[in-house]
Amino acid sequence: MKTITSIKQQKGQTPLTVITAYDALFASLFDQRVDIILVGDSLNMSFNAKPDTLSASMEVMLYHTKAVCAGAKETFIVCDMPFGTYTDEKMALHNASLVYSQTNAHAVKIEGGVSRAHIIKALTQNSIAVMGHIGLMPQYVRSEGGYKVRGRSEEDILALIEDAKAVEEAGAFSLVIEGVVEEAARRISEAISIPTIGIGAGKYTDGQVLVWSDMLGFFQAFQPKFVKRYLEGATLIQDAVDAYVKEVKERSFPEAPYTYTK
């Protein structure tokens, strides 16, 4: 299993592999196959059919994190801190402490750069490991008027680098860079000494993360540009269900091997 120390040592080495999970079943399938499992608030969209992540609550994230920890016992697990649960240092410390006291997660993830550095510092100084998150930040979607790719101008790249440095200085052990032009992500990664984990940020980061239901083709509402589908999961499931329905209606299931006769 990865640790904070081994993750930090991965900087510039073999890229880190990260995938989301929200339940014990899929977490058990991913266990030991990836370096890090993120219990992402993306579950609010993928599995609760919400338009964004903002209504995910602390209670919901704790529930799913407990489930993931039960399924993946040999993988480093990070819990997303949901919107509105870390608006000040006291609230952040209280809610992040719940993650540590009620689950076996190893760290929490917080969105924001310079503006959230004091929150990250308050947590790390109280023995809570923090993964940062800059660039396109889903929890900012309403205040920023949608999902916008970052790093298209020199001014914005410099602002992102400033965010990354602030997160590192506050004590974060790693940093997610989302929805950022590849060259900008490369410059951010080179500007800091902690590992960067990209999602829609090109190949020059120290790792990659994808939402499992996106990469395995289960979520069909839309497909972001940066998502590569490694499986057409939804089609496979639908075909299997169609076969089951057909066999039941034809009375060809259950056959003898699936029937108690004595």
Side-chain angles (χ1 to χ4, degrees):
M1 180 193 292
K2 290 290 183 182
T3 65
I4 296 294
T5 300
S6 63
I7 289 170
K8 292 173 74 173
Q9 291 173 340
Q10 207 82 2
K11 179 73 177 180
Q13 304 301 314
T14 303
L16 291 157
T17 55
V18 187
I19 192 171
T20 65
Y22 315 118
D23 59 58
L25 175 59
F26 275 89
S28 69
L29 297 177
F30 305 149
D31 194 20
Q32 299 187 70
R33 285 179 167 80
V34 295
D35 295 314
I36 300 171
I37 291 177
L38 170 64
V39 188
D41 57 4
S42 51
L43 65 88
N44 211 43
M45 301 170 72
S46 299
F47 292 92
N48 290 332
K50 302 296 183 182
D52 53 43
T53 67
L54 303 188
S55 60
S57 66
M58 198 71 229
E59 181 180 14
V60 165
M61 295 308 301
L62 289 171
Y63 172 87
H64 286 279
T65 302
K66 290 176 188 176
V68 169
C69 290
K73 301 183 186 301
E74 300 297 331
T75 303
F76 191 94
I77 296 171
V78 179
C79 171
D80 242 342
M81 293 292 288
F83 177 76
T85 64
Y86 51 97
T87 56
D88 59 53
E89 295 174 15
K90 183 178 180 180
M91 177 188 287
L93 183 57
H94 170 74
N95 287 318
S97 295
L98 292 178
V99 175
Y100 269 22
S101 64
Q102 295 188 23
T103 82
N104 290 322
H106 303 89
V108 299
K109 182 170 76 64
I110 285 181
E111 294 185 14
V114 171
S115 65
R116 293 286 169 80
H118 66 292
I119 301 292
I120 296 172
K121 186 174 182 179
L123 296 182
T124 57
Q125 288 184 335
N126 282 279
S127 304
I128 295 173
V130 178
M131 173 183 284
H133 184 149
I134 66 169
L136 187 160
M137 297 179 288
Q139 292 180 10
Y140 288 62
V141 61
R142 295 186 196 174
S143 63
E144 295 190 351
Y147 299 101
K148 299 177 180 179
V149 175
R150 298 285 307 276
R152 295 190 184 279
S153 68
E154 181 65 17
E155 180 182 11
D156 196 32
I157 292 173
L158 294 176
L160 288 168
I161 290 174
E162 185 179 2
D163 279 337
K165 288 181 175 179
V167 168
E168 178 182 17
E169 290 170 5
F173 70 93
S174 61
L175 177 67
V176 170
I177 304 175
E178 180 172 0
V180 171
V181 173
E182 185 174 70
E183 175 61 15
R186 182 188 65 78
R187 288 175 59 182
I188 295 167
S189 296
E190 292 175 350
I192 59 176
S193 61
I194 58 174
T196 57
I197 299 167
I199 177 166
K203 63 183 178 181
Y204 298 110
T205 53
D206 300 296
Q208 297 291 332
V209 56
L210 282 177
V211 172
W212 82 261
S213 53
D214 288 341
M215 66 169 288
L216 298 182
F218 284 86
F219 186 71
Q220 295 184 304
F222 62 90
Q223 182 178 350
K225 174 181 173 62
F226 57 82
V227 172
K228 177 178 179 179
R229 285 186 174 170
Y230 290 83
L231 181 75
E232 292 299 331
T235 300
L236 291 174
I237 293 294
Q238 290 164 345
D239 288 348
V241 172
D242 288 345
Y244 162 70
V245 170
K246 180 176 183 293
E247 290 185 8
V248 169
K249 290 184 178 298
E250 293 174 346
R251 295 190 182 276
S252 61
F253 173 82
E255 306 97 315
Y258 310 106
T259 304
Y260 297 106
T261 57
K262 292 184 179 179

